[in-house]
Amino acid sequence: VKYLQSLLKVGFDTLDFGSYVSAPAIPQLRDTDEVLDRLDLSNTKTKLLAIIANKKGAEAAARRPEITYLGFPFAVSEIFQKRNTNKTISESISLVRELIEICSVNNKELVVYISMGFGNPYNEPWSVSIVEQYCEKLIAMGVKILSLSDTIGTSNPENIHYLFSSLIGAFPQVEFGAHLHTTSDTWHEKVQAAYNAGCLRFDGAIKGFGGCPFASDELTGNMPTEKLLTFVQEKKLNHQFDLLAFESAYNEALRTFPL
């Protein structure tokens, strides 16, 4: 809670603070409600996002007025979608329809993460056209925020730029985000490619902590938040980040998650 509280002071638009998922599947996330109860949101403009994997989780998250966004991982891989949410792609499409309704009734916003958006390690069919087709289908259903997710670190500057430039050009009314998993030597080229293609929404985690618990590559972590801030400063982009507050949050992360 102390670590999350320090992040709320930095000035991020959105903070992914926890998940409403099956406790047996990911026991570390069983206390999401307890964490939320202990957060002080009185002096922050940062909005909270909770990851959900089914209707029950969505309804639980939607009951919390503190939460603005519900995030659902939608994989363009039958194998990974089953591993990640215990649903087929067809069942997930049906669930997205229910999630859109839940969000509408409860004044929430739905963020759909396109998992395996840049490659497939299971020898299933994959191509940028398949990703585009699923994005088009979800947008037609009413999804307004899509985050292309490099779940296992298989993206490269070429397919990142192609996908974002193609989709952003075709659907200017949709907010596209980049949820990139990366190794330490490839982060800059990936961020650069997405930014050059028009992407302005990026996910990060301090020190790159985490990754996907249902993916196999332990060496591929999340995009480090400190790298994203380096990129912002390098490009001299306007921002509202409190960099001193971020330094404090960074140090808190090192104390909370010692290497």
Side-chain angles (χ1 to χ4, degrees):
V1 171
K2 187 177 180 181
Y3 170 50
L4 293 175
Q5 202 68 57
S6 68
L7 287 173
L8 289 170
K9 299 177 182 178
V10 177
F12 297 115
D13 176 75
T14 306
L15 176 64
D16 180 354
F17 83 100
S19 303
Y20 286 83
V21 296
S22 169
I26 309 181
Q28 302 96 313
L29 299 175
R30 65 184 179 274
D31 56 354
T32 297
D33 272 320
E34 181 183 352
V35 171
L36 184 55
D37 287 340
R38 295 173 63 183
L39 287 179
D40 179 4
L41 304 173
S42 60
N43 293 308
T44 182
K45 294 182 180 180
T46 297
K47 300 173 183 178
L48 298 183
L49 179 149
I51 297 294
I52 53 91
N54 52 44
K55 184 177 180 180
K56 181 179 178 181
E59 290 172 335
R63 286 193 290 269
R64 300 301 303 245
E66 305 93 335
I67 296 174
T68 299
Y69 298 100
L70 304 188
F72 177 67
F74 180 95
V76 294
S77 157
E78 287 284 3
I79 292 174
F80 188 73
Q81 189 66 9
K82 193 71 176 178
R83 289 178 62 181
N84 202 27
T85 66
N86 198 31
K87 287 179 174 54
T88 65
I89 289 179
S90 178
E91 290 169 336
S92 297
I93 288 286
S94 297
L95 176 59
V96 168
R97 291 193 178 94
E98 294 180 300
L99 298 180
I100 291 171
E101 178 62 22
I102 290 171
C103 286
S104 176
V105 170
N106 293 278
N107 195 31
K108 308 297 183 186
E109 295 187 64
L110 178 64
V111 179
V112 175
Y113 296 87
I114 305 297
S115 300
M116 298 294 167
F118 296 93
N120 185 303
Y122 305 116
N123 295 317
E124 297 173 294
W126 182 94
S127 67
V128 292
S129 62
I130 289 175
V131 176
E132 290 174 325
Q133 288 167 15
Y134 277 115
C135 287
E136 290 173 8
K137 185 177 185 68
L138 292 165
I139 291 167
M141 291 167 58
V143 176
K144 297 178 181 178
I145 307 175
L146 285 168
S147 187
L148 304 184
S149 299
D150 184 13
T151 314
I152 54 172
T154 55
S155 67
N156 56 60
E158 290 74 26
N159 60 25
I160 289 174
H161 188 276
Y162 178 86
L163 273 170
F164 278 107
S165 59
S166 175
L167 290 168
I168 291 172
F171 303 101
Q173 77 280 17
V174 175
E175 182 178 4
F176 286 95
H179 183 94
L180 302 174
H181 289 198
T182 182
T183 54
S184 60
D185 60 340
T186 59
W187 73 269
H188 191 278
E189 63 187 33
K190 292 185 178 187
V191 175
Q192 182 76 64
Y195 177 74
N196 286 350
C199 178
L200 299 176
R201 180 189 180 105
F202 290 86
D203 291 353
I206 288 179
K207 293 289 289 182
F209 287 132
C212 179
F214 298 105
S216 58
D217 190 347
E218 295 180 358
L219 299 179
T220 305
N222 283 299
M223 174 65 66
T225 307
E226 59 271 21
K227 301 298 188 184
L228 291 172
L229 292 183
T230 296
F231 186 85
V232 167
Q233 293 178 288
E234 171 192 315
K235 299 298 179 182
K236 296 182 170 57
L237 304 177
N238 291 328
H239 65 83
Q240 298 181 345
F241 300 126
D242 184 331
L243 297 180
L244 288 177
F246 177 76
E247 183 178 353
S248 176
Y250 183 90
N251 292 332
E252 189 63 45
L254 298 183
R255 287 190 289 269
T256 305
F257 310 105
L259 296 178

